[in-house]
Amino acid sequence: MVRMIDVANHAGVSLKTVSRVLNNEPHVQDALRSKVHASVKELGYIPSASARSLRSSRTYTFHLISRTVEGNFVNTIQSGAVRASQKHGYNLIVSLMGFETLNEPEALERWSKSFLIQKRPDGVILVPPYSDSPLFNEIINKAGIPISRIGPNEIDDMNNVNITIDDGVAAKEATNHLISLGHRRIGFIRGYEDHGATHKRFKGYSDALQEAGIDLDPSLVKPGMFSFESGMNAGLELLSMNNRPTAIFAANDDMAAGVIVAAYRNNIKVPEAVSVMGFDDSELAERIWPTLSTIRQPLLRYGEQAVEYLVNRAGNNSKKKSDRPSWTDILDYEFILRESTGPLNEYSIT
Amino acid sequence: MVRMIDVANHAGVSLKTVSRVLNNEPHVQDALRSKVHASVKELGYIPSASARSLRSSRTYTFHLISRTVEGNFVNTIQSGAVRASQKHGYNLIVSLMGFETLNEPEALERWSKSFLIQKRPDGVILVPPYSDSPLFNEIINKAGIPISRIGPNEIDDMNNVNITIDDGVAAKEATNHLISLGHRRIGFIRGYEDHGATHKRFKGYSDALQEAGIDLDPSLVKPGMFSFESGMNAGLELLSMNNRPTAIFAANDDMAAGVIVAAYRNNIKVPEAVSVMGFDDSELAERIWPTLSTIRQPLLRYGEQAVEYLVNRAGNNSKKKSDRPSWTDILDYEFILRESTGPLNEYSIT
DNA sequence: ATGAAAGCGCTAACAC
DNA sequence: GTGTTAGCGCTTTCAT
């Protein structure tokens, strides 16, 4: 094992000079700089991350905490986060925390200590529904670890960074699209009730109906769990109604895909007999038939932005809260028109 | 910050005793054990991972290295690996390495040094196509880091662990399924040529044809890249042939999903007019219509097993190669019959 | 602009 | 069975 002192001896300089060069610090003559670099290369020196962490109390790692890493949503965010982390010389650790842990303060604290605080990451990325747990946020904040929260329900005053789109506005636009196609009986499938997104998207849906002078029919609103299966079940219910909806807006793409399969199973054509609208623009959206009209969330950018902010805060190195004000970044969404939505027509009528 | 010495003072024991208790080492009286535990709790002591790593030269982290983390394959493996890692008190770092890096020895070495060896993980998990790069394997091995390789093309003698299914046997069974349905013109869509799986699955396909006395028609074999798009393109080609195949076996599910969309676009019914067979049993397989007949790889278990082996080797703590012999684990695959494959019939004939 | 010395928090080696 | 000592490899502090 080659250590820094070996490089120093080989280059004929002091330990500290090597350290300065490797950390790109100023106050070193160019001549010494290149000498050090040459020695590093010749000896094949690789710095020890642990030693550096111990002394500098920076680990150059971030943690992404989620309930599951399967499914397109977290997956794509993660992809953006890993790329951005590596770009800045950081590593990304993916941690999975049980959903139920959120509601058990003691379990939450135990989990945080053993899986998070012990590792002292330089920052944490929280995705729904964890972005919305005040207690969880507080535990992490107390440990002095900055947080980037993705898609939080409410913006708090805890000096964190929030990254999101305006779910309400987006859902309203999606609903207006269906209304403009002539639909008036429009079903809605909700997601997890503890995800803020569920409520915001539903509000966008109901606002659009109201503005169009359409009464909201509660029988057209079904619960869901953001999963394919829950979407399929809700779809089966909605499509077997006597006076079934002519369009269905699901709160995410996985559920919308479930509705489309439900339609196939009932021999109902999409979009001729029923239009289906999703939300997220997940990978699935272009892989199913008909391809899914949806709202694109900039998932990759969520991950990238989250990391950029954390790198920045770590760079400032200021543990003083005042130096890291709360910050909210509302990114643009995009309406994606594909083949699962179409005009109201004679097929639609039951 | 509470340190170990603070706990020792508070409990009235020595530093080393605290260390022994926290590491579950023997030779400590129960009375002292509980005293220490009490002090830990009272002071809210959390050990420092960096200090422990520096001294013990174990980092309690594994690296999973892949080209992308998007798509179901790596994603599911990762999920299993994260869970298993946490269970044993390890963290999983996800690293992305550019595909092209593999073919540039210098870039590969640079990447390894800055993103891998510097962090000194206690183990590395390699997925295709990285599991098959001898140079990459060698660089990691030289650094004394154990490797679990998932789905490697060839079993080497580098004292690593290999986890896979028998792709050839599985692909043969899949092809036999199509043959038993009466199909004789069976198309095949290949994957990346540098993935061993491509060749093994093709061999299973051609072996099955041969045993059934069917001549392999090279015009029915198309290249692919394991992506939805490449599958759709290959599907469009195959389905627009004058004498088109009555069944298509794609080397993975993403491509099979592409074939199904290609069929829709050409108004060809699946499975009535063409049967489609996938491979992997990815998330997609149950989310599209018709649901996909496929071969299930135990992806979650790949990840779990990979970690179990690494934990074991790290536990043995023996850097001597002789103590960690090469080991190959061939897991069971599963044939999954769904709705995309059906008997040859009058619709199939062009 | 450079170097010497101190020490981050822990575990390994060795005493007792 | 328990404690003492040394030191992992680096960055920080302070002296020059």
Side-chain angles (χ1 to χ4, degrees):
Chain A
M1 149 130 315
V2 182
R3 292 152 320 168
M4 194 178 265
I5 185 70
D6 301 321
V7 176
N9 292 337
H10 186 270
V13 297
S14 82
L15 190 62
K16 181 57 201 168
T17 300
V18 178
S19 172
R20 284 203 180 90
V21 171
L22 294 182
N23 289 293
N24 285 314
E25 285 172 34
H27 308 310
V28 182
Q29 288 188 346
D30 285 354
L32 292 190
R33 274 215 141 75
S34 41
K35 250 195 210 169
V36 168
H37 280 132
S39 296
V40 164
K41 195 162 185 185
E42 194 173 332
L43 298 179
Y45 169 70
I46 301 173
S48 152
S50 333
R52 158 184 275 198
S53 295
L54 177 57
R55 191 62 245 233
S56 65
S57 59
R58 294 180 57 183
T59 55
Y60 294 91
T61 54
F62 297 131
H63 278 232
L64 172 71
I65 303 178
S66 71
R67 186 170 63 82
T68 167
V69 84
E70 296 177 64
N72 185 259
F73 184 81
V74 175
N75 197 22
T76 312
I77 293 172
Q78 183 196 329
S79 191
V82 173
R83 256 176 261 279
S85 296
Q86 288 193 172
K87 185 174 135 200
H88 292 285
Y90 284 74
N91 277 135
L92 188 78
I93 289 179
V94 179
S95 289
L96 263 29
M97 186 175 83
F99 192 54
E100 63 292 350
T101 311
L102 267 191
N103 303 316
E104 300 163 15
E106 283 187 23
L108 186 58
E109 199 147 348
R110 217 175 322 116
W111 189 93
S112 305
K113 280 191 185 168
S114 43
F115 290 114
L116 189 65
I117 302 180
Q118 184 168 147
K119 299 298 179 135
R120 326 234 167 187
D122 294 341
V124 168
I125 301 169
L126 254 32
V127 298
Y130 300 136
S131 12
D132 280 324
S133 162
L135 180 55
F136 196 25
N137 275 265
E138 196 190 319
I139 291 175
I140 302 173
N141 270 310
K142 252 191 196 152
I145 303 173
I147 306 179
S148 277
R149 308 194 306 165
I150 290 172
N153 193 1
E154 287 176 21
I155 311 307
D156 64 10
D157 57 346
M158 289 194 281
N159 302 76
N160 294 321
V161 159
N162 304 284
I163 304 167
T164 186
I165 59 167
D166 193 326
D167 281 271
V169 173
K172 193 169 163 185
E173 180 170 344
T175 311
N176 279 334
H177 163 63
L178 296 171
I179 294 172
S180 74
L181 289 170
H183 298 283
R184 299 188 63 85
R185 289 190 62 70
I186 302 174
F188 186 84
I189 305 177
R190 303 172 66 93
Y192 275 122
E193 293 303 325
D194 26 18
H195 278 228
T198 296
H199 305 280
K200 292 187 196 160
R201 291 174 196 173
F202 178 73
K203 184 162 190 312
Y205 158 79
S206 57
D207 283 356
L209 292 186
Q210 193 178 357
E211 284 184 19
I214 303 172
D215 284 341
L216 193 156
D217 179 350
S219 71
L220 295 184
V221 178
K222 298 289 176 193
M225 293 164 65
F226 283 137
S227 70
F228 174 84
E229 285 73 19
S230 69
M232 188 168 75
N233 292 335
L236 288 171
E237 280 186 50
L238 285 169
L239 293 174
S240 59
M241 291 172 67
N242 281 332
N243 188 13
R244 73 173 190 232
T246 65
I248 297 176
F249 178 19
N252 82 346
D253 284 353
D254 281 348
M255 295 196 296
V259 173
I260 287 179
V261 168
Y264 276 117
R265 294 215 181 275
N266 282 355
N267 260 313
I268 298 172
K269 283 203 168 182
V270 180
E272 290 84 349
V274 62
S275 285
V276 178
M277 179 87 205
F279 201 110
D280 278 354
D281 194 29
S282 81
E283 202 173 55
L284 203 59
E286 270 194 312
R287 279 162 176 56
I288 57 177
W289 186 264
T291 55
L292 198 59
S293 294
T294 189
I295 298 288
R296 174 177 298 163
Q297 291 205 67
L299 298 176
L300 268 178
R301 280 201 56 218
Y302 281 176
E304 290 166 3
Q305 286 282 33
V307 165
E308 296 290 344
Y309 282 120
L310 293 177
V311 169
N312 242 299
R313 298 209 156 178
N316 287 341
N317 217 346
S318 44
K319 298 278 175 186
K320 279 193 301 180
K321 279 204 167 183
S322 53
D323 291 344
R324 10 189 208 99
S326 189
W327 176 265
T328 299
D329 207 349
I330 298 184
L331 303 180
D332 290 335
Y333 68 88
E334 203 179 331
F335 179 89
I336 308 283
L337 179 62
R338 294 209 184 86
E339 303 171 81
S340 65
T341 51
L344 180 72
N345 61 36
E346 71 265 27
Y347 296 107
S348 316
I349 312 306
T350 333
Chain B
M1 150 127 316
V2 182
R3 292 152 318 166
M4 194 177 266
I5 183 70
D6 300 322
V7 176
N9 291 337
H10 186 269
V13 298
S14 81
L15 189 62
K16 183 58 200 170
T17 301
V18 178
S19 172
R20 284 205 181 90
V21 170
L22 294 182
N23 289 293
N24 285 315
E25 285 172 33
H27 308 309
V28 182
Q29 287 189 345
D30 285 354
L32 291 190
R33 273 216 143 73
S34 42
K35 252 197 208 168
V36 168
H37 279 131
S39 295
V40 164
K41 195 164 186 186
E42 194 173 333
L43 298 179
Y45 169 70
I46 301 172
S48 153
S50 334
R52 158 184 275 200
S53 297
L54 177 57
R55 189 62 246 233
S56 65
S57 59
R58 293 181 56 184
T59 55
Y60 294 91
T61 55
F62 298 131
H63 278 231
L64 172 71
I65 302 178
S66 71
R67 187 169 63 83
T68 167
V69 84
E70 296 178 64
N72 185 260
F73 184 81
V74 176
N75 198 22
T76 311
I77 293 173
Q78 184 196 329
S79 193
V82 173
R83 256 176 261 278
S85 296
Q86 288 192 174
K87 185 174 136 202
H88 292 285
Y90 284 74
N91 278 135
L92 187 78
I93 289 180
V94 179
S95 289
L96 264 29
M97 186 175 84
F99 191 56
E100 62 292 349
T101 311
L102 267 191
N103 303 316
E104 300 162 16
E106 285 187 20
L108 186 58
E109 198 146 351
R110 220 177 318 118
W111 189 93
S112 305
K113 280 190 182 168
S114 43
F115 290 113
L116 190 64
I117 301 180
Q118 184 168 146
K119 300 296 179 135
R120 325 235 167 183
D122 293 342
V124 168
I125 301 169
L126 254 32
V127 298
Y130 300 137
S131 13
D132 280 324
S133 162
L135 180 55
F136 196 25
N137 275 266
E138 195 191 319
I139 291 175
I140 303 172
N141 270 313
K142 254 191 194 153
I145 303 172
I147 305 179
S148 276
R149 309 193 305 166
I150 290 172
N153 193 0
E154 287 176 22
I155 311 308
D156 64 11
D157 56 346
M158 290 194 279
N159 302 77
N160 294 321
V161 159
N162 305 283
I163 305 167
T164 185
I165 59 167
D166 192 326
D167 282 89
V169 173
K172 191 168 164 187
E173 180 171 345
T175 310
N176 279 335
H177 163 63
L178 296 172
I179 293 172
S180 75
L181 289 170
H183 298 283
R184 298 187 65 85
R185 287 189 63 70
I186 302 173
F188 186 84
I189 305 178
R190 304 172 66 93
Y192 275 123
E193 293 304 325
D194 26 17
H195 279 228
T198 296
H199 304 281
K200 292 187 196 159
R201 291 174 196 173
F202 177 73
K203 183 160 190 313
Y205 158 79
S206 58
D207 283 356
L209 291 186
Q210 193 179 359
E211 284 183 19
I214 303 172
D215 284 341
L216 194 156
D217 179 349
S219 71
L220 294 184
V221 178
K222 298 288 176 193
M225 292 164 64
F226 284 137
S227 70
F228 174 84
E229 286 73 18
S230 70
M232 187 168 75
N233 292 334
L236 289 172
E237 281 186 50
L238 286 169
L239 294 173
S240 60
M241 289 172 66
N242 282 332
N243 189 12
R244 73 174 188 231
T246 64
I248 297 176
F249 178 20
N252 82 343
D253 284 353
D254 281 348
M255 295 196 295
V259 172
I260 287 179
V261 168
Y264 276 118
R265 294 215 181 277
N266 283 356
N267 260 312
I268 298 173
K269 284 203 168 183
V270 181
E272 290 84 350
V274 62
S275 285
V276 178
M277 179 85 205
F279 201 109
D280 277 354
D281 195 29
S282 82
E283 202 173 55
L284 203 60
E286 269 195 312
R287 278 161 177 54
I288 57 177
W289 185 263
T291 54
L292 199 59
S293 294
T294 190
I295 297 289
R296 175 177 297 163
Q297 293 205 66
L299 297 176
L300 269 179
R301 282 200 54 217
Y302 281 176
E304 290 165 3
Q305 287 281 33
V307 165
E308 296 290 345
Y309 282 120
L310 294 176
V311 169
N312 242 300
R313 299 208 155 179
N316 287 340
N317 216 345
S318 45
K319 298 277 177 186
K320 276 194 303 180
K321 280 205 166 184
S322 52
D323 291 346
R324 9 188 210 100
S326 189
W327 177 264
T328 298
D329 207 351
I330 298 183
L331 303 181
D332 289 335
Y333 67 89
E334 202 178 331
F335 179 88
I336 307 283
L337 179 61
R338 293 210 184 86
E339 303 172 81
S340 64
T341 50
L344 180 73
N345 60 37
E346 72 266 27
Y347 296 106
S348 316
I349 313 308
T350 330

